[in-house]
Amino acid sequence: MKITYNQILSGKNIPKSQLYLIHGDPYHLLNDIQNVIFPKSKNEKNTLIHYIDSDFTPDDIRQDIESKTLFSDKTNIVLNVLTSSIPKKLASYIQEINIPDDVKIILKINNTNFSFKKTKFFSFVEKEHMAIEVKPLVGKFLNEWIISRFKKHSIKFTTKSLDLMKEAHDGDSSAIAQEIYKISIIGNNDLDSYLENTHKSSKFSELDLIDSMLDNNNKKSLKIFKYLQQSNFSEVYLLQILQLEVRKIISCKVDISPEPYIPSFKINKYHALSEINDIDYFYKILSVCSAIDSKIKSSTEKNYIWNSLKKVINLLSSSNCQSILSKDLVLNEYS
């Protein structure tokens, strides 16, 4: 049998099995599924955990499984595979044993290769047990997952603050999970208040820069840029932000993969910006960003890098940006 994490988010129950193979990416979602199957509060004392590397031998697991026939307590065994594939000794052992009724096994592997699902072991699990596939969360499934985490930690939120949370972490569920954990530790259970206080801790943030560029406000964009530079903001991170913004604009013109996340309340601004110039213009800006990336990796001249980043911001936030690029004021510098 097989099921996906998206189906679980949609309310489908995980069928009972003696063995669960949880595979895919990101890894923290594999852990989420483990906690659904083996709730910590109920089964922590009866859960045995093993880490499987290339030198693995089945001896320890064999002892765990065979010794349980002498006791009435149920035992849960978690096998965390650290290698890129299931070790042959482990695959052979699992296919040969008869798992007792009082033992359940979770086998976790961070593997997204299509070839993995073509192996004999994977076919065996699908036929005899349960395979659960995990993929990066997008769209409504990402929303449902975030909302479930908010409810778990009693965090109040609005549609706008939910979108801001996704935008701040580019829809990365792993980064969002860490942020939610931090909120729960701080004890501020109101997301709007948390985001507001976070932004107040500094005069400007990278989100302010994005907003000013989307508003085509070149003067404010350069003001924020100067503040970030003086605050020792990471030029590598800033370049990543600019590249992502260009990709978002391009995605309004053509389909690209992976499709970047755009919050619903900003989609019109991205579409409006995409109409200012043709698609080749934005691809040229990506080429400029790529050239800057090479300069960052090979140069220690920070002023040179920041001047180059400033020109990219000019290209994205100036109403006359097409004329700037057409004169090759930036491109000639990287030829």
Side-chain angles (χ1 to χ4, degrees):
M1 295 180 288
K2 61 181 178 180
I3 189 175
T4 67
Y5 188 53
N6 286 352
Q7 289 176 304
I8 297 172
L9 284 175
S10 297
K12 186 176 179 63
N13 292 325
I14 301 175
K16 292 183 179 181
S17 177
Q18 295 300 113
L19 170 69
Y20 301 88
L21 169 63
I22 310 175
H23 64 99
D25 182 71
Y27 195 80
H28 76 98
L29 295 182
L30 275 64
N31 292 332
D32 281 359
I33 297 174
Q34 174 186 323
N35 292 333
V36 172
I37 300 173
F38 298 161
K40 287 185 178 180
S41 58
K42 295 181 179 180
N43 300 299
E44 192 168 1
K45 293 182 179 179
N46 296 330
T47 299
L48 306 174
I49 300 176
H50 296 271
Y51 295 92
I52 311 300
D53 57 21
S54 56
D55 296 327
F56 164 81
T57 60
D59 294 341
D60 290 340
I61 299 174
R62 181 182 292 111
Q63 182 177 358
D64 290 340
I65 293 175
E66 294 178 355
S67 64
K68 290 314 298 174
T69 59
L70 304 176
F71 304 97
S72 59
D73 291 341
K74 293 183 178 180
T75 295
N76 303 320
I77 300 174
V78 179
L79 308 178
N80 297 290
V81 178
L82 305 179
T83 54
S84 59
S85 60
I86 307 290
K88 290 183 179 179
K89 290 182 179 179
L90 176 61
S92 298
Y93 176 69
I94 289 178
Q95 291 178 81
E96 293 169 358
I97 63 171
N98 181 20
I99 303 175
D101 293 339
D102 57 355
V103 173
K104 287 188 177 181
I105 301 173
I106 285 181
L107 177 61
K108 293 189 301 182
I109 180 168
N110 193 194
N111 189 312
T112 58
N113 293 332
F114 181 75
S115 58
F116 173 67
K117 292 188 283 187
K118 293 294 183 180
T119 61
K120 290 182 179 179
F121 177 76
F122 190 88
S123 298
F124 161 78
V125 174
E126 276 196 325
K127 181 179 179 181
E128 303 293 336
H129 299 285
M130 172 59 57
I132 306 175
E133 184 175 16
V134 172
K135 293 182 179 180
L137 299 173
V138 296
K140 71 172 186 176
F141 298 110
L142 178 60
N143 282 353
E144 290 172 0
W145 178 83
I146 296 174
I147 291 172
S148 70
R149 292 303 175 276
F150 285 160
K151 290 180 178 178
K152 177 180 179 181
H153 295 285
S154 301
I155 296 173
K156 300 176 184 178
F157 66 96
T158 61
T159 300
K160 185 173 183 178
S161 59
L162 172 62
D163 282 341
L164 283 172
M165 174 71 85
K166 290 188 292 184
E167 181 186 17
H169 299 287
D170 192 29
D172 183 339
S173 61
S174 179
I176 292 171
Q178 293 178 33
E179 190 76 9
I180 292 175
Y181 176 72
K182 184 168 71 173
I183 295 172
S184 69
I185 294 297
I186 293 173
N188 186 346
N189 68 341
D190 186 279
L191 183 61
D192 292 78
S193 173
Y194 170 80
L195 293 174
E196 182 180 359
N197 291 335
T198 301
H199 290 168
K200 281 182 178 180
S201 64
S202 60
K203 186 176 179 180
F204 295 114
S205 73
E206 66 274 20
L207 296 181
D208 297 312
L209 178 61
I210 293 171
D211 288 339
S212 64
M213 289 191 299
L214 288 177
D215 291 335
N216 214 230
N217 189 334
N218 181 248
K219 184 177 180 180
K220 185 175 180 180
S221 295
L222 294 179
K223 181 180 179 180
I224 297 171
F225 169 79
K226 184 177 180 180
Y227 172 81
L228 294 177
Q229 182 181 10
Q230 293 174 342
S231 303
N232 293 319
F233 194 84
S234 168
E235 61 267 29
V236 176
Y237 182 38
L238 179 57
L239 178 61
Q240 292 175 343
I241 292 170
L242 295 176
Q243 288 175 312
L244 178 59
E245 290 306 297
V246 179
R247 283 177 51 80
K248 289 179 181 179
I249 296 169
I250 292 175
S251 72
C252 294
K253 287 180 170 289
V254 297
D255 293 332
I256 59 175
S257 181
E259 183 180 359
Y261 169 74
I262 300 178
S264 57
F265 65 95
K266 288 188 177 182
I267 188 68
N268 290 338
K269 289 187 176 183
Y270 281 99
H271 275 287
L273 194 56
S274 72
E275 295 300 321
I276 294 178
N277 295 292
D278 59 39
I279 193 168
D280 288 338
Y281 170 79
F282 296 107
Y283 277 126
K284 286 179 181 177
I285 297 180
L286 275 184
S287 297
V288 173
C289 290
S290 178
I292 295 174
D293 183 52
S294 298
K295 292 290 184 180
I296 289 176
K297 293 174 181 176
S298 62
S299 175
T300 57
E301 295 292 331
K302 279 200 171 186
N303 288 336
Y304 179 87
I305 299 300
W306 279 95
N307 287 337
S308 301
L309 291 169
K310 180 179 179 180
K311 291 178 180 180
V312 173
I313 291 173
N314 265 323
L315 292 171
L316 289 173
S317 62
S318 298
S319 57
N320 63 336
C321 50
Q322 179 64 59
S323 63
I324 294 175
L325 188 58
S326 64
K327 292 178 182 178
D328 288 332
L329 294 181
V330 174
L331 291 183
N332 283 340
E333 187 174 344
Y334 299 98
S335 59

